[in-house]
Amino acid sequence: MTANKQFNTAGFATLFEKEVRRFMRVATQTVVTPMVTTLLYLLVFVQVLEGRYSPAVDFSYAEFLVPGLVMMAVIQNAFANSSSSLLQAKMNGSITFMLIAPLSALEILLAFTLAAVLRGALVGVGVWGVASLLTDWHLVEPLWSLAFLMLTGAALGLLGVIAAIIAEKFDHMSAFQNFVILPLTFLSGVFWSVSSLPEFWQPISALNPLLYMIDGFRYGMIGVSDFDPARSAGFAALFVALLFGQTWWLLHRGWRLRG
Amino acid sequence: MSATAAIEINALEKTYASGLKALDRVSFTVEQGEFFALLGPNGAGKSTLINTLAGLVRPSAGDAKVYGHSVQRDWRAARRALGVVPQELVFDPFFTVREVLALQAGYFGLKASRAWQDEVLEELGLSDKSETRMRGLSGGMKRRVLIAQALMHKPPVVVLDEPTAGVDVELRQLLWRFAKRLHNDGHTIVLTTHYLEEAESLCDRVAILDKGQLKTLQTTESLLNSHPWRDIEMQLLSFPSQLPASLQKLYVEQAGEWHRWRLHRDEHSVADLLEALKQQGAELKDIRTREPNLEDVFLQLVGRDDS
């Protein structure tokens, strides 16, 4: 194996550690605040819809909603972590330190993605923990939940890296977040079951990869889902693999990063 | 001469997507242990060249090697052999000075050495700032940290890209002392600067780039000797009302009480000038000479010598 192909384990671990320390250093902003915001959704939606809408037989709306909110937290925070870190580094120039180091595209990508998964998981688990104080908690298939949580964090972490590579200013990132990530999140079954949508919207929703991730995660928690969890996991894994390949290619080519 | 060059640049070309040709078949070698100056006006291609060595820019054609390692094919080894101090004051605001040094060592696959950190921090006058967050440092302090970061993996080749731009005199002196120390310790130093007197006093050899092309590469001494002019400045008690054509063509300007003449090294002599002035009735009060400096040579080579 040539020196170029040898994995720089210490370099990868350092970059991962840096990414984790970066968001932990401002944990109030990156972990606590999103938890509180997500729990406000729980309070408001449950207050309005409890007793009027029940997508899952034998479960209250709050019990149905909690897995969706956990995943919403994972989605938004995994994306925010990689995208804001990389874009900030691009904007303030500190990305130079990473780019002049003997770090490959794979090492950089793994570090950013895993840090995004970790932050998404921390906020998601935090939301779940606090929500469990307010409503009954379930964890029917923990491995399914864990798998979907990891896949979702990875997918959004990768999307964050892509967005940060494309963006040339914070305004671009804001547009990506508000016009892509937010609609995909809100129209992915966080708050309702896709089967309860009008017929017209069901096939359109089926194109949203986040739908399968949330549905699969919900299956792991309460054992109820619109789709076969194994197929959802397959879709999610394929989506992550495609994103990983695309992002690796962008980083490997140095598109918008190296001259 | 060492067997492996510290830096070897071979027919390097870079054309950006905009069509700008920043490097046009540039070739030269920097030997191990040299203190080497890379000069050129803004837009000459210096930064593109340095960024190519650092892996921040991909060459369009040709290749560059650091300690025998191609920056394209053997990029990991090439980057490990190179420490780059960037021109811009870039920093990560989240971390302390010591943390950024540890991170930089880690990126290169090294465990942070506290002893090496302490040594570099001490040399750069940063010991009392080691636990300060980067955003809390002055511009000069940030500049010192950039140098410390570039040294964390102990690279044999150090590139200083305009390290003294915008720094005060005291810091400039400190940076040059430190650069000399690095050189004495065996590092190869490549320096870009707009302060040509620095390159003149520090560097063994000088390369001048202009419009992406290598205009010249010589020892500092031979480069200075290649400039055929030297200036003679005189204070005269009386100045001739009219100068003959032979003297007029040598006359440059008057600055205060001083009159400046430019003589060609081979064609004119000071004695002849003094004699000619005496014949015109001029009375000499004082005289001084100014040998050509790198700035004169630079302006001559890049074709922007207005005088």
Side-chain angles (χ1 to χ4, degrees):
Chain A
M1 188 181 284
T2 65
N4 280 345
K5 289 185 178 168
Q6 279 174 353
F7 194 82
N8 179 357
T9 309
F12 151 75
T14 303
L15 187 55
F16 171 71
E17 181 194 339
K18 183 211 136 196
E19 285 304 301
V20 173
R21 280 162 72 177
R22 192 194 69 86
F23 76 73
M24 289 306 289
R25 192 142 287 178
V26 282
T28 307
Q29 177 199 333
T30 56
V31 179
V32 179
T33 303
M35 277 171 54
V36 173
T37 309
T38 311
L39 288 166
L40 284 174
Y41 280 110
L42 179 68
L43 293 174
V44 171
F45 275 80
V46 168
Q47 178 67 30
V48 173
L49 291 175
E50 193 68 272
R52 299 183 190 181
Y53 175 68
S54 179
V57 181
D58 299 332
F59 292 98
S60 68
Y61 179 65
E63 290 166 294
F64 173 86
L65 181 60
V66 167
L69 290 178
V70 169
M71 285 303 267
M72 190 171 87
V74 173
I75 288 165
Q76 292 183 340
N77 287 282
F79 178 83
N81 201 67
S82 55
S83 62
S84 65
S85 177
L86 194 55
L87 185 59
Q88 270 181 16
K90 255 176 83 173
M91 300 300 284
N92 67 25
S94 63
I95 196 170
T96 302
F97 305 124
M98 182 179 82
L99 295 178
I100 64 175
L103 287 164
S104 69
L106 179 66
E107 290 143 13
I108 292 171
L109 190 52
L110 283 175
F112 272 89
T113 307
L114 290 178
V117 170
L118 184 63
R119 175 168 155 197
L122 275 177
V123 181
V125 170
V127 167
W128 182 55
V130 180
S132 299
L133 302 174
L134 307 173
T135 183
D136 289 344
W137 69 274
H138 307 274
L139 193 55
V140 178
E141 299 276 2
L143 288 179
W144 275 121
S145 285
L146 182 65
F148 279 104
L149 185 142
M150 300 286 282
L151 285 168
T152 307
L156 271 295
L158 290 164
L159 274 172
V161 173
I162 292 176
I165 291 173
I166 294 170
E168 286 171 339
K169 48 187 180 175
F170 290 108
D171 199 35
H172 293 162
M173 183 58 72
S174 173
F176 198 92
Q177 203 148 13
N178 289 315
F179 299 125
V180 180
I181 301 300
L182 205 58
L184 282 177
T185 311
F186 274 65
L187 302 175
S188 59
V190 169
F191 301 101
W192 58 72
S193 160
V194 70
S195 59
S196 62
L197 288 175
E199 224 167 83
F200 173 79
W201 289 104
Q202 289 191 20
I204 294 174
S205 291
L207 297 173
N208 181 354
L210 302 189
L211 174 73
Y212 304 98
M213 297 177 184
I214 293 171
D215 193 64
F217 182 76
R218 184 171 278 131
Y219 172 80
M221 294 197 83
I222 63 174
V224 173
S225 63
D226 288 323
F227 306 99
D228 172 19
R231 283 186 70 181
S232 294
F235 284 140
L238 181 65
F239 185 57
V240 169
L242 289 173
L243 283 176
F244 195 91
Q246 180 64 44
T247 320
W248 177 85
W249 179 246
L250 292 175
L251 281 171
H252 180 67
R253 299 298 304 164
W255 190 66
R256 291 200 172 178
L257 298 176
R258 300 183 199 269
Chain B
M1 188 180 285
S2 309
T4 307
I7 294 173
E8 188 183 338
I9 292 167
N10 189 15
L12 198 64
E13 288 185 32
K14 177 62 187 180
T15 306
Y16 287 104
S18 63
L20 173 73
K21 194 160 201 168
L23 293 174
D24 188 3
R25 291 187 65 78
V26 173
S27 300
F28 64 85
T29 299
V30 180
E31 300 302 337
Q32 288 185 29
E34 272 196 278
F35 207 134
F36 188 91
L38 184 60
L39 308 179
N42 289 332
K46 304 185 298 292
S47 291
T48 299
L49 184 62
I50 287 170
N51 288 341
T52 306
L53 290 172
L56 294 170
V57 165
R58 291 168 188 275
S60 308
D63 196 15
K65 290 179 180 172
V66 184
Y67 259 64
H69 305 291
S70 164
V71 298
Q72 297 177 94
R73 291 184 302 280
D74 195 9
W75 55 272
R76 279 202 212 260
R79 289 183 200 176
R80 286 196 169 103
L82 189 71
V84 178
V85 181
Q87 193 180 124
E88 294 81 19
L89 271 186
V90 294
F91 64 96
D92 195 327
F94 286 94
F95 300 104
T96 66
V97 172
R98 196 177 286 284
E99 284 172 330
V100 299
L101 298 186
L103 288 171
Q104 203 60 27
Y107 292 162
F108 283 80
L110 302 171
K111 199 169 170 6
S113 159
R114 202 174 169 90
W116 177 233
Q117 285 176 9
D118 286 341
E119 189 181 336
V120 175
L121 289 172
E122 172 75 29
E123 282 285 337
L124 288 165
L126 285 167
S127 296
D128 59 336
K129 301 288 180 190
S130 63
E131 303 307 327
T132 305
R133 288 245 185 126
M134 288 300 295
R135 64 159 61 108
L137 297 179
S138 67
M141 291 289 178
K142 289 187 184 112
R143 177 78 64 193
R144 298 182 207 200
V145 177
L146 284 177
I147 296 173
Q149 277 179 275
L151 297 174
M152 279 302 103
H153 60 290
K154 300 186 178 177
V157 183
V158 179
V159 175
L160 302 163
D161 194 1
E162 295 192 24
T164 53
V167 307
D168 62 30
V169 177
E170 191 186 354
L171 176 55
R172 189 175 301 168
Q173 296 295 326
L174 183 147
L175 293 179
W176 293 134
R177 275 201 307 276
F178 189 66
K180 280 180 187 168
R181 194 212 124 170
L182 288 175
H183 184 235
N184 290 337
D185 288 349
H187 291 273
T188 305
I189 310 284
V190 176
L191 165 74
T192 79
T193 179
H194 278 120
Y195 302 104
L196 300 186
E197 69 274 18
E198 292 174 349
E200 191 176 327
S201 66
L202 290 165
C203 298
D204 311 318
R205 287 200 303 156
V206 174
I208 296 182
L209 283 179
D210 190 31
K211 295 173 185 160
Q213 294 181 325
L214 183 66
K215 299 293 279 191
T216 190
L217 171 54
Q218 298 181 52
T219 62
T220 312
E221 194 182 351
S222 67
L223 196 57
L224 291 171
N225 288 337
S226 71
H227 190 71
W229 304 98
R230 62 178 163 164
D231 288 355
I232 310 294
E233 293 175 331
M234 297 178 194
Q235 264 186 319
L236 298 171
L237 294 172
S238 62
F239 194 82
S241 55
Q242 200 169 3
L243 287 173
S246 58
L247 287 181
Q248 206 149 25
K249 70 178 185 186
L250 301 178
Y251 189 72
V252 180
E253 62 178 359
Q254 181 178 2
E257 292 183 321
W258 292 90
H259 297 270
R260 187 148 67 96
W261 313 77
R262 179 159 291 178
L263 306 188
H264 193 281
R265 194 185 300 277
D266 302 324
E267 294 171 12
H268 310 115
S269 77
V270 180
D272 289 346
L273 173 65
L274 289 172
E275 183 58 32
L277 282 168
K278 195 176 173 186
Q279 283 175 9
Q280 296 298 318
E283 279 187 78
L284 182 66
K285 181 184 172 191
D286 200 358
I287 184 168
R288 64 191 182 195
T289 63
R290 191 175 72 80
E291 291 301 315
N293 60 25
L294 210 47
E295 192 164 329
D296 299 317
V297 180
F298 178 83
L299 291 170
Q300 185 190 3
L301 282 165
V302 301
R304 283 157 219 181
D305 186 354
D306 296 333
S307 62

